[in-house]
Amino acid sequence: MATALIILAAGQGTRMNSDLPKVLHQIAGAPLLHHAMRSGAMVEPERMVVVAGHGADEVTKAAKAFDEAVDVVIQAEQKGTAHAVLQALPALEGFEGKVIVLYGDTPLIRPETLEAMLSARSDVVVLGFEAADPGRYGRLVVHLGHLYRIIEYKDATAEERKITLCNSGVICADAKALAKLVRGVGNNNASGEYYLTDIIAAGRVAGLTAEVVTCPEAETLGVNSRADLAAAEAAMQARLRAEVMENGVTLTAPETVFLSWDTVIGRDTVVGPHVVFGPETTVESEAEILPFCHLEGCHISRGARVGPFARLRPGAELAEDVHVGNFVEVKNSILDEGVKVGHLTYLGDAHVGEHTNIGAGTITCNYDGVSKHRTEIGARAFIGSDTMLVAPVTIGDGAMTASGSVITDDVPENTLAVARARQVNKLGLAAKLFELFKSRKEKKQEKAQ
Ligand code: UD1
Ligand code: CA
């Protein structure tokens, strides 16, 4: 059956204490909103509608960045969850099938959970969970497998507050039934809001059935504060780490490795402690990431060895068996097969040919204060330690640069470039200088007394 998705994302998120709309705060390298949209997208909805309000411009941009085809509707004033769903109805005009309502601030709902809701038989299906501490959640009144109504905490009696089966906020219902029920919701309650939860009791009066599908409480975690955001990050990281390990990746100390939602790591790759994967990073099989690396927007090929303490920035592409060692930064550069860049180096806007060795302390001087320039280094070249490559510059295949050179002109292939002052040895002068300096110091000290 066809499905559609409504994602509520109009709320202010006051407790975040932030200028950024709540749903745009990130976990695992993507905004909360994208996580909700992604798990919703897994059930292959025919339409997706995001309800924006606070920070609508930014939220719209983010929603469109996820999927250009998504509809964004504006809820100018936040009058409650039913009122929010009401705003989405025109965008679902003509749609027949099931509608799932998700919250943009609830990033951990699994697609499997949504599938279970879609398979349930009742007209309205609510995602519930057994709460360790039910707090201010809406309570689910269930009898013999049927859901009778949802009572908001504020409106519940002391007896009703004892119920521990709570409302996650995720609801799935037939599109036509949902539209009809939502239009009928009033705001005669403790907060004066239009509660989406009221459609259960109203549905029963209209002869519709309702039931609860449950999931672990961890999935329903909604973000209202920075502390919640950190908890959501932790839960998402735990999930992502488990996934990569299942795929055959060794994480020596999984709790210290941070992954992005889109991190891909191949089988038999070993990732040491304290490695951070930013967005858009892929690592092939049998690579080795040593401790304390920061990797983002980069690709690491089979058999490559990176770190410890390496930083790969967007556009860094390491071919097979490349070695990038400690305190090396690589940005927007392609390193061909077998390149070695062992220590203390910056490679930016460069191409390094296969099996070239880059000596310690090499820097591509790629920026002149206004524009970026490229450095081309050929294959089987040897860049001496502490070479400054002032771009734009080209080093030919098999060429060498002498240590400490400042290379401003192209170096033809198989050529040695020496670009530093010639050394002069002055015999005995060091000893004389030591004497001179010592006597000066003594005179100063005598004066001071
Ligand atoms: C809601 C549920 C409650 C459930 C809880 C789970 C209702 C009436 N109550 O309560 O039963 O236990 O979620 O977290 O539905 N939003 C809008 N527009 C609005 C109002 C809300 O887009 O006018 C969005 C918010 O941005 C948020 C979500 O809907 O993402 C939930 O709203 P919130 O006000 O947090 O609902 P709760 O009071 O937590
Ligand atoms: Ca909430």
Side-chain angles (χ1 to χ4, degrees):
M1 189 189 279
T3 48
L5 217 64
I6 299 175
I7 300 178
L8 306 189
Q12 181 167 23
T14 315
R15 284 167 56 207
M16 292 300 283
N17 190 10
S18 174
D19 288 336
L20 190 68
K22 178 167 77 172
V23 297
L24 299 189
H25 284 266
Q26 298 204 343
I27 62 169
L32 296 172
L33 178 65
H34 285 192
H35 289 282
M37 291 175 85
R38 190 172 317 109
S39 68
M42 298 294 267
V43 304
E44 299 182 345
E46 221 168 68
R47 299 192 202 180
M48 215 194 269
V49 188
V50 171
V51 182
H54 280 278
D57 289 348
E58 287 165 273
V59 171
T60 303
K61 229 195 212 169
K64 295 278 185 187
F66 181 86
D67 181 354
E68 191 52 47
V70 70
D71 272 306
V72 181
V73 299
I74 306 295
Q75 184 193 25
E77 232 186 304
Q78 283 70 57
K79 298 184 187 169
T81 44
H83 182 256
V85 170
L86 194 64
Q87 312 310 306
L89 294 181
L92 294 182
E93 198 59 52
F95 171 79
E96 282 179 30
K98 288 189 178 181
V99 178
I100 297 175
V101 179
L102 292 177
Y103 293 169
D105 62 5
T106 304
L108 297 164
I109 305 280
R110 283 176 184 273
E112 295 88 324
T113 301
L114 301 181
E115 295 287 1
M117 292 179 75
L118 287 168
S119 320
R121 295 274 182 85
S122 301
D123 300 305
V124 184
V125 181
V126 170
L127 182 63
F129 62 100
E130 277 296 338
D133 169 16
R136 304 184 65 82
Y137 286 116
R139 306 297 208 268
L140 302 179
V141 181
V142 175
H143 185 62
L144 297 175
H146 295 288
L147 174 62
Y148 283 80
R149 57 194 193 103
I150 307 178
I151 318 148
E152 286 307 295
Y153 176 81
K154 278 190 190 170
D155 304 293
T157 63
E159 203 56 31
E160 288 165 335
R161 286 179 182 176
K162 285 183 188 155
I163 298 172
T164 53
L165 184 62
C166 292
N167 175 27
S168 70
V170 181
I171 283 182
C172 173
D174 169 73
K176 284 213 177 93
L178 180 71
K180 201 164 167 208
L181 290 170
V182 163
R183 288 193 181 103
V185 171
N187 65 346
N188 182 18
N189 54 52
S191 0
E193 282 186 16
Y194 295 85
Y195 292 161
L196 181 58
T197 46
D198 281 354
I199 68 169
I200 305 301
R204 290 210 70 88
V205 171
L208 298 175
T209 55
E211 71 181 279
V212 178
V213 162
T214 57
C215 71
E217 180 169 10
E219 275 186 56
T220 70
L221 178 87
V223 173
N224 296 307
S225 64
R226 305 274 179 169
D228 292 341
L229 187 68
E233 178 79 63
M236 186 60 85
Q237 289 300 335
R239 193 183 279 184
L240 293 169
R241 289 166 192 147
E243 274 170 23
V244 298
M245 288 192 283
E246 248 164 62
N247 291 341
V249 176
T250 293
L251 303 182
T252 314
E255 65 286 358
T256 66
V257 173
F258 286 79
L259 301 158
S260 280
W261 67 274
D262 60 349
T263 302
V264 176
I265 309 179
R267 206 157 162 260
D268 289 325
T269 282
V270 176
V271 180
H274 299 285
V275 175
V276 176
F277 291 84
E280 293 181 53
T281 300
T282 49
V283 183
E284 293 180 11
S285 304
E286 292 164 43
E288 208 181 335
I289 315 293
L290 296 162
F292 298 102
C293 289
H294 191 278
L295 316 169
E296 62 179 323
C298 61
H299 178 76
I300 297 169
S301 300
R302 178 185 285 267
R305 189 154 51 92
V306 176
F309 297 100
R311 179 170 186 211
L312 302 186
R313 292 171 53 204
E317 282 186 37
L318 276 49
E320 295 191 3
D321 304 320
V322 162
H323 171 50
V324 168
N326 41 257
F327 308 110
V328 171
E329 174 179 344
V330 183
K331 183 217 77 173
N332 190 31
S333 293
I334 295 171
L335 277 53
D336 288 347
E337 191 177 328
V339 164
K340 288 194 169 61
V341 44
H343 342 256
L344 300 162
T345 290
Y346 173 60
L347 294 177
D349 306 303
H351 174 217
V352 183
E354 58 182 30
H355 301 294
T356 281
N357 191 304
I358 308 279
T362 295
I363 290 177
T364 52
C365 311
N366 61 326
Y367 186 51
D368 57 17
V370 179
S371 309
K372 301 279 169 66
H373 304 283
R374 290 196 61 81
T375 299
E376 295 287 340
I377 303 174
R380 288 169 298 281
F382 180 89
I383 305 299
S385 291
D386 197 29
T387 297
M388 301 294 116
L389 297 158
V390 183
V393 71
T394 297
I395 312 294
D397 291 345
M400 278 187 180
T401 67
S403 324
S405 287
V406 178
I407 303 292
T408 52
D409 295 329
D410 290 353
V411 180
E413 58 179 31
N414 303 323
T415 301
L416 167 67
V418 187
R420 64 185 187 211
R422 183 169 286 280
Q423 181 171 331
V424 183
N425 283 350
K426 306 216 167 175
L427 294 182
L429 187 56
K432 280 184 192 158
L433 284 173
F434 278 131
E435 280 312 309
L436 179 68
F437 297 157
K438 270 185 207 155
S439 72
R440 273 187 194 160
K441 194 174 178 182
E442 277 161 17
K443 270 183 197 157
K444 243 191 203 170
Q445 281 165 345
E446 276 165 25
K447 257 192 199 167
Q449 275 168 6

